[in-house]
Amino acid sequence: MKVESLHGLAILEFGAILVCHKKLVELRSYSTLVRPSNPKLVSSLSVRSNGITPEAVIAAPSFADIADTVYDILHGRIWAGHNIVRFDGVLIREAFAEIGRTAPEPQGTIDTLELLTQKFGRRAGNMKMASLATYFGLGNQTHRSLDDVKMNIKVLKHCATVLFLESSLPDIFPENHWVHPDIFEKVLYSVPFNTAHPDTFDMVAPGNEMNAASHQPDVTMEENPILQPPEMPSTVTVPESCSDSLVFLEPDEVSLPSIRALHVPFSGGSQRVKLFYEGAILQLCCPRLRIRFGISKKFPDHAGRPKLSFVVDASPSLYGVLDTCDRIVQKVYADSGCSSEWTCVVSKRHYPTVRLHIPTAVNGDVAQYATDMYLKEPSGTTQKLIFSKFDATELDTYFKPGTFVDSYLSLNPYDYQQRSGIQLVTTKLVIHNE
């Protein structure tokens, strides 16, 4: 599906192709110009962008005239498109609302902007459709609805073919052969990559993930105005004792000029941005962070489980490290062509605070906390907390506002659905029972 709009305010053209999901061949197509309520708004800038003239739209049907056809094409089907979650889908729903009609609802949603960015990496720069088309030599984007849909299908097929070859014939098509050799020399052979989650190309799973993500509310938390970043992988591996096997630095130990952010190769031909300090992954141990707001359970993951997080006050030294990481990672994303909205990891609205995330580990149908949690008594005795089941309400007792925690943190940069930032994930927590 593709909607050509007037500055994102009115639909000028609608186009859709019904595709067989098994063969990716065209079964049916439909496109039409659409007359906006005020055709005079079609400017010379719009004409230069897509070639749609005021004269053309004056003779076109209104959206009310085509609403039945659009509804029949879209309702109950899987919607696919480039940036469809934030653009095309929103305009379709608004157009139906304006004429007082019930909008069609998708059975699922696949946003190829997010899907291809996640699976294909940023090989094509900013991953816009025009950039992808140029990368694969498919010609120029016309910004006409049906042409753009056809180009989207071609791009998806090309990406799928490349990823299939890289995953099926790794000796002939090494998945990271396209990465700059300097990055290979500095990073590839020195960084212990997480191999617990092979990032294989699976059209079904990403489709479900995009559908779930499309229903996440794009709002801020009431207690702390930090936008919700994407959820972490559903299965994670955490060492029995984090401090024994990994290097965690206290913020005071970090020399800010020595922090680096680099694109590193990941399985499936993608890249991820990682933060480094003196040749190792940057991870922080932050003693005695004061909890400002307790466990948040407002946002569910794709399986309906709450995505757990809590807010702590940021000490001056932690604030300095994270502020530096923000600037470094934001520049790396910008230099690679990323146009996503940046969310600072430290909230400065009333006082410096940061949100810490507790990931979920899933083994079959059993879910549990992936963070090692310990309770430290005033006597100094520390015992590990054992939870028999995943029940987020049981954490409320331990994560009360004013409680102090020692936090072992991984700093995970993300670029997800046109939003980017750094997510702080807890691998180990020591809760002070004072």
Side-chain angles (χ1 to χ4, degrees):
M1 178 180 70
K2 179 68 170 70
V3 172
E4 192 63 40
S5 73
L6 177 64
H7 311 307
L9 301 176
I11 295 176
L12 294 183
E13 189 175 31
F14 172 86
I17 296 177
L18 185 61
V19 176
C20 172
H21 72 282
K22 293 183 178 180
K23 300 180 180 180
L24 290 185
V25 295
E26 180 179 330
L27 301 177
R28 174 189 171 192
S29 66
Y30 172 78
S31 68
T32 180
L33 292 173
V34 180
R35 184 179 73 252
S37 57
N38 184 3
K40 294 182 180 180
L41 293 176
V42 182
S43 64
S44 58
L45 179 62
S46 301
V47 175
R48 288 196 299 271
S49 173
N50 50 39
I52 300 177
T53 64
E55 294 76 19
V57 296
I58 288 175
S62 67
F63 187 82
D65 295 330
I66 67 168
D68 288 339
T69 303
V70 173
Y71 188 93
D72 291 341
I73 292 173
L74 297 182
H75 187 64
R77 303 188 190 277
I78 296 176
W79 295 5
H82 211 64
N83 201 24
I84 193 174
V85 169
R86 289 182 172 268
F87 184 75
D88 305 83
V90 173
L91 287 180
I92 287 293
R93 292 184 175 92
E94 290 178 350
F96 273 91
E98 287 176 2
I99 62 174
R101 295 278 301 275
T102 301
E105 288 297 331
Q107 183 183 19
T109 303
I110 300 175
D111 193 324
T112 55
L113 175 60
E114 167 60 26
L115 175 61
L116 297 184
T117 300
Q118 177 188 9
K119 297 296 179 180
F120 199 66
R122 292 192 175 274
R123 311 186 198 189
N126 59 20
M127 297 301 286
K128 293 182 178 179
M129 186 54 58
S131 301
L132 286 161
T134 300
Y135 180 86
F136 288 113
L138 299 176
N140 297 323
Q141 185 181 11
T142 65
H143 295 285
R144 296 300 300 269
S145 60
L146 208 57
D147 288 344
D148 283 0
V149 175
K150 292 178 179 179
M151 181 169 285
N152 200 351
I153 295 172
K154 291 179 181 178
V155 164
L156 187 61
K157 289 180 177 179
H158 277 70
C159 288
T161 300
V162 171
L163 293 174
F164 171 76
L165 291 173
E166 290 177 349
S167 62
S168 302
L169 303 169
D171 294 334
I172 302 175
F173 300 98
E175 60 190 17
N176 297 312
H177 71 280
W178 53 277
V179 180
H180 193 282
D182 287 347
I183 299 297
F184 262 114
E185 181 179 350
K186 296 177 182 177
V187 178
L188 181 59
Y189 298 109
S190 62
V191 178
F193 294 108
N194 181 4
T195 57
H197 319 291
D199 202 6
T200 53
F201 187 72
D202 182 345
M203 283 299 298
V204 177
N208 293 337
E209 181 180 340
M210 294 305 103
N211 184 35
S214 68
H215 290 84
Q216 296 299 324
D218 190 13
V219 297
T220 60
M221 298 296 290
E222 292 177 357
E223 315 96 314
N224 191 36
I226 297 180
L227 290 172
Q228 290 295 301
E231 63 186 274
M232 289 295 99
S234 59
T235 306
V236 296
T237 301
V238 181
E240 182 67 23
S241 176
C242 301
S243 57
D244 291 341
S245 56
L246 300 173
V247 177
F248 288 82
L249 300 175
E250 293 193 16
D252 290 336
E253 299 176 306
V254 178
S255 173
L256 302 185
S258 298
I259 300 175
R260 298 287 184 269
L262 294 172
H263 283 285
V264 300
F266 201 74
S267 59
S270 63
Q271 281 185 318
R272 302 239 176 129
V273 173
K274 290 290 185 182
L275 282 158
F276 292 87
Y277 182 77
E278 296 183 349
I281 294 288
L282 176 61
Q283 299 182 104
L284 297 177
C285 171
C286 305
R288 295 190 64 81
L289 295 178
R290 182 180 182 273
I291 296 178
R292 173 70 62 169
F293 300 110
I295 293 293
S296 169
K297 303 178 281 286
K298 292 180 64 174
F299 296 96
D301 64 13
H302 66 280
R305 294 179 295 265
K307 294 192 288 185
L308 304 178
S309 63
F310 61 101
V311 175
V312 298
D313 294 332
S315 65
S317 57
L318 177 59
Y319 172 86
V321 171
L322 295 180
D323 185 61
T324 299
C325 292
D326 257 342
R327 290 185 283 103
I328 292 173
V329 174
Q330 187 176 14
K331 184 177 186 304
V332 169
Y333 277 138
D335 290 346
S336 66
C338 173
S339 59
S340 299
E341 179 182 356
W342 181 262
T343 301
C344 292
V345 67
V346 179
S347 172
K348 312 168 191 175
R349 186 174 182 179
H350 300 298
Y351 28 71
T353 58
V354 293
R355 183 172 296 277
L356 308 185
H357 296 261
I358 300 176
T360 302
V362 179
N363 184 9
D365 296 330
V366 179
Q368 58 185 155
Y369 313 117
T371 302
D372 283 338
M373 288 182 259
Y374 298 81
L375 187 64
K376 186 173 183 178
E377 302 291 347
S379 63
T381 303
T382 301
Q383 63 176 349
K384 186 172 184 178
L385 296 176
I386 305 297
F387 302 96
S388 60
K389 59 181 179 178
F390 184 93
D391 182 5
T393 57
E394 66 186 342
L395 296 181
D396 291 336
T397 303
Y398 300 103
F399 291 84
K400 293 179 179 179
T403 300
F404 288 94
V405 295
D406 301 337
S407 302
Y408 294 78
L409 304 176
S410 293
L411 287 69
N412 297 338
Y414 65 88
D415 180 18
Y416 183 80
Q417 289 193 349
Q418 297 299 292
R419 283 158 46 191
S420 56
I422 300 173
Q423 188 178 56
L424 303 180
V425 179
T426 57
T427 57
K428 177 180 176 181
L429 288 170
V430 179
I431 305 164
H432 292 256
N433 187 23
E434 299 177 346

